Amino acid sequence: MMAWAKDQKIEGSNITFLADTRCELTKALGVVMDHPGPLSVLGNLRCKRFACFVDDGEIQLMHISEGPNDPAGDGNPSKSCIDDMLMAIGDL
């Protein structure tokens, strides 16, 4: 995770990358990507592409980027991107 933070040029910032190697948080949030397409390529459970706005330990907003023929959200990840999230947060 530290290499990813360094690659994204946020190493040492207030953003912390954490791994969910046993899918505990992924399962608790209900964002397990278990669609047979990605699962057949990746070989194990992964987390869906999502973004959360958390305030004082409580999820205020959660957006998942996925579609009927795009379980990984690769074709249109906009729901979990910063612009969409900032607009949605502004609407709270």
Side-chain angles (χ1 to χ4, degrees), residues 71-84:
D74 292 335
N76 183 9
S78 61
K79 285 194 66 122
S80 59
C81 290
I82 189 69
D83 293 335
D84 188 78

Side-chain angles (χ1 to χ4, degrees), residues 47-67:
C47 184
K48 294 179 182 179
R49 185 186 312 256
F50 76 98
C52 284
F53 172 60
V54 181
D55 185 28
D56 198 23
E58 186 175 323
I59 296 174
Q60 302 294 320
L61 180 69
M62 184 169 171
H63 284 185
I64 301 171
S65 291
E66 65 181 337

Side-chain angles (χ1 to χ4, degrees), residues 9-53:
K9 298 179 179 36
I10 60 166
E11 185 178 39
S13 73
N14 64 342
I15 297 173
T16 303
F17 284 15
L18 303 170
D20 185 19
T21 56
R22 296 188 306 223
C23 288
E24 293 170 334
L25 179 61
T26 301
K27 289 175 183 175
L29 291 173
V31 292
V32 175
M33 184 171 51
D34 54 6
H35 185 279
L39 194 56
S40 69
V41 175
L42 300 172
N44 57 348
L45 296 177
R46 298 291 175 115
C47 184
K48 294 179 182 179
R49 185 186 312 256
F50 76 98
C52 284
F53 172 60

